[in-house]
Amino acid sequence: MSEPRKLYVRSFGCQMNVYDAQRMTDTLAREGFVEAETAEDADLVILNTCHIREKAAEKVYSELGRLRVAQEEAGRRQMIAVAGCVAQAEGGEILKRARGVDLVVGPQSYHKLPELIADAERRGGNRRAGIVETEFPVEDKFDFLAPPTRAAIAKRGPTAFVTVQEGCDKFCTFCVVPYTRGTEVSRPVAKILDEVMRLADGGVREVTLIGQNVNAYHGADAGGRPSGLAELVRRVAEVPGIARVRYTTSHPRDMDDDLIAAHRDLPALMPYLHLPVQSGSNRILAAMNRKHDRELFFETVEKVRAARPDIAFSSDFIVGFPGETDEDFADTMDLVEKVGFAGAFSFKYSSRPGTPAATMDAQLSEDVKSQRIYALQALLDRQKAAFDAACHGRRFEILLEKPGRFPGQLIGRSPYLQSVVVEAPREAIGTLAMVEVRGVSTKSLSGDIIGGEFYADGAVGHTHFPGQSETVEA
Ligand code: SAH
Ligand code: SF4
Ligand code: F3S
C-alpha cells in the first residue's frame, strides 16, 4: 500500500476559519489525507487566509515565500492551496503575485476541494495554470462537506465551534466580509442539531455557535418556518451531553428580546457576551453604517445585565476611522468607561480595497491612530485586569479542557473564557469542576477544585504548584 498523503492547514483570522479548517480536513480525510505535524512535512498545504486588515491579508504572501524557500531547500514539491477570504477577494491576483500556488479556493467552494485537487494534480508541475474557484455556487457547501469522525472529534477536545450562519448583509463601510463571505445564509435547525449531537457523542461538552452575524440567525425549523438564535440555543442546550453554549459574533442591532430572555432562562448559556461596538461616537457609528447609536448599545447592555446579572461583556473597537476627531475618540473612551469590559479586541482602522470607507476624505495618519490605540488599549487592559482581580475568591464552574504546563495540572475555562489552572488528573478532561479562584495573573487564573463531575464522591484535590504567580490586585 502506498503512504497516505499528508495535509497541513494553517488558519488565520476568525473562528469561521477555524471551523472551516476542520471541515476541509474532514472532507479530505475521506480522500485519504492524514494530518501532517508541520507544513514542511505535508504533501498538500492549505493556507486559510484572512482579509480583514491589510496586515492580515499580506501574511499570505510572506507565508507563500517561506513555503517556497522550504520546498527548494528540501528539494521537494508540495501542492499549495490558498483558501479563505484573501482567496475570495484577490483570486487570480494571488496566482500572478506569488509563484508556486496550485489552487485558489473561496470559502463557499470548500466542498469542491477533492475535485479541484485532482484537477491540479492532473496539471502536475504546470503551475502557470493554477486553478481559481471563487464563484458563489448555488448548492449549499454544508450539504457536501464531510462530518468529523469520532476520533477527530475526540482529538479536538471537549469544546467545538459550529457554524450556524455565514455571510453578512450589513455592509459596514470599513468591512470586507460582505464581499468575501457573501450574503447572509442560515443553516437549517435540524442540520445544526445533527452536527451538535454527533459532537456530543464524541465527547464535546461546550458548543460555540458561530457566524459573522450570528444573532441575525434565521434558519428554517422542522416546519420550514424561520427560527431565531434564541430558539436554536435552547434546542442546542437540550442535546444530551452539552453542558455549555456560547455564540459569537453578535451585532448590537440584532440582540432581540427573545435572545435576551434566553440569557435569563438558560443556565447553559454562558454569561459572557462578545458584542462589537466599534466606536462610541454617534457621528462615526453613522459613517461606519453600523445602523445604531451609542444609546442603543447602552440600552442593550442594560437589558442583558438585567436578564443575567453575572454577565460580562467583551467588544471590538476600531480607532482612526476616516474623519474621527479627538472628540469622537473621547466618546469611545467614555463608552468604555461607562460599560466596563472584561475583554476586548481593538484595531487601528485599516483601509480595505473596494470598501466605501477606503475612499472617504480625512484618512488619519498612522501617528494619530497609534496614539489612540495606545490610550484605548491601556484602558481596556485596566478593565480586564480589574475584572480578573475581582474573580479572586469567587467560585465558578470550569470545563477542564487540556493538560497544563506542569505535570498534574489541567487547564479549564471559566464561564468568562478565562484560562484556569488547577490540579487534576488527565482523566478529568471533559468534565465540569467547581473551583474557588486562588490566584490571578495577567494570562490566567488558578484555583482549587471543590467539587464537580469527576469528584462526585467529594474527594477533591488541593492546589499549590510551581509556576503560578500570586494574585495581582488591580
Ligand atoms: N461581524 C462582526 C465582526 C467581523 S470582523 C461585527 O459585526 O462586529 C472582526 C472585527 O475586525 C470587527 O469587529 C472590527 O473591529 C475589525 N475590523 C473589521 N474591518 C476592519 C478594518 N477595515 N480595519 C480595522 N479593523 C477592522
Ligand atoms: Fe463586517 Fe459589519 Fe458585517 Fe460585522 S456587521 S461582518 S463588521 S459588515
Ligand atoms: Fe478574516 Fe474572513 Fe474571518 S476576512 S475575520 S477570515 S470572515
Side-chain angles (χ1 to χ4, degrees), residues 7-302:
L7 162 71
Y8 190 84
V9 188
R10 175 164 288 156
S11 283
F12 306 90
C14 65
Q15 288 102 333
M16 306 294 290
N17 271 4
V18 176
Y19 177 84
D20 288 346
Q22 293 178 349
R23 283 287 78 73
M24 287 192 260
T25 305
D26 297 332
T27 300
L28 293 174
R30 214 160 48 177
E31 306 292 313
F33 279 93
V34 297
E35 285 182 71
E37 293 289 318
T38 63
E40 286 68 28
D41 192 33
D43 301 293
L44 166 62
V45 179
I46 301 180
L47 296 181
N48 194 17
T49 59
C50 174
H51 199 242
I52 202 82
R53 285 167 291 276
E54 190 181 347
K55 257 200 196 133
E58 284 301 313
K59 250 182 217 159
V60 61
Y61 295 105
S62 54
E63 276 295 306
L64 285 170
R66 224 178 45 80
L67 283 170
R68 196 157 57 93
V69 171
Q71 285 189 48
E72 275 163 15
E73 275 171 8
R76 77 182 279 221
R77 163 92 168 78
Q78 295 171 298
M79 184 178 290
I80 307 288
V82 178
C85 291
V86 182
Q88 187 63 44
E90 297 184 4
E93 268 290 306
I94 297 173
L95 291 184
K96 276 192 220 126
R97 247 185 89 174
R99 275 190 297 135
V101 176
D102 299 87
L103 178 57
V104 175
V105 56
Q108 300 311 329
S109 303
Y110 294 155
H111 55 301
K112 296 185 180 165
L113 268 172
E115 60 180 282
L116 294 169
I117 289 166
D119 198 9
E121 264 165 357
R122 273 193 297 277
R123 296 179 191 205
N126 184 6
R127 284 183 158 167
R128 288 234 168 101
I131 300 165
V132 181
E133 178 65 52
T134 51
E135 293 299 308
F136 287 121
V138 282
E139 72 269 25
D140 179 358
K141 68 174 173 190
F142 292 108
D143 289 339
F144 300 93
L145 291 168
T149 59
R150 235 166 163 262
I153 297 168
K155 195 173 151 212
R156 289 168 192 166
T159 65
F161 293 129
V162 175
T163 294
V164 303
Q165 177 278 330
E166 198 171 5
C168 184
D169 295 340
K170 292 244 174 6
F171 290 93
C172 300
T173 53
F174 52 81
C175 183
V176 294
V177 170
Y179 314 101
T180 62
R181 294 272 169 170
T183 54
E184 237 176 74
V185 179
S186 295
R187 296 175 67 194
V189 173
K191 292 201 173 144
I192 294 163
L193 290 177
D194 275 354
E195 192 167 325
V196 173
M197 283 189 272
R198 177 183 271 269
L199 291 169
D201 185 53
V204 166
R205 307 295 311 279
E206 175 180 307
V207 167
T208 303
L209 307 175
I210 57 173
Q212 270 94 13
N213 244 302
V214 74
N215 55 348
Y217 175 82
H218 57 271
D221 68 11
R225 285 175 302 270
S227 156
L229 183 65
E231 181 55 21
L232 181 69
V233 169
R234 271 183 214 115
R235 302 287 301 275
V236 168
E238 282 166 7
V239 171
I242 298 300
R244 294 173 146 193
V245 186
R246 304 177 188 273
Y247 61 87
T248 199
T249 299
S250 298
H251 193 286
R253 271 247 315 214
D254 296 319
M255 285 306 299
D256 61 26
D257 290 344
D258 203 17
L259 188 54
I260 293 172
H263 281 279
R264 183 192 60 214
D265 300 335
L266 293 175
L269 184 54
M270 289 293 99
Y272 191 52
L273 180 59
H274 184 59
L275 198 58
V277 63
Q278 316 299 355
S279 169
S281 152
N282 282 341
R283 219 175 57 79
I284 295 298
L285 285 170
M288 287 176 162
N289 191 31
R290 289 291 289 180
K291 303 185 173 80
H292 69 83
D293 53 17
R294 59 191 260 133
E295 287 72 27
L296 180 115
F297 190 77
F298 289 135
E299 272 163 40
T300 308
V301 164
E302 283 317 307

Side-chain angles (χ1 to χ4, degrees), residues 319-379:
V319 302
F321 185 82
E324 186 187 71
T325 61
D326 285 341
E327 209 176 6
D328 294 318
F329 177 63
D331 283 347
T332 298
M333 295 291 276
D334 176 69
L335 179 142
V336 173
E337 294 276 11
K338 288 205 165 95
V339 173
F341 292 96
F345 298 99
S346 47
F347 310 100
K348 291 195 243 182
Y349 167 73
S350 169
S351 171
R352 307 306 295 127
T355 60
T359 50
M360 285 180 185
D361 294 337
Q363 302 280 331
L364 300 191
S365 73
E366 231 6 71
D367 260 8
V368 170
K369 290 184 203 174
S370 298
Q371 281 163 21
R372 289 181 186 166
I373 196 88
Y374 186 78
L376 176 61
Q377 285 181 348
L379 174 58

Side-chain angles (χ1 to χ4, degrees), residues 380-417:
L380 290 166
D381 286 350
R382 278 202 301 281
Q383 290 192 342
K384 185 188 180 316
F387 181 82
D388 289 345
C391 289
H392 190 261
R394 269 182 80 173
R395 291 176 171 196
F396 44 56
E397 217 166 33
I398 65 171
L399 174 60
L400 296 168
E401 287 185 15
K402 57 183 182 197
R405 194 143 54 103
F406 297 98
Q409 288 183 352
L410 294 185
I411 297 179
R413 292 282 196 149
S414 79
Y416 306 107
L417 281 180

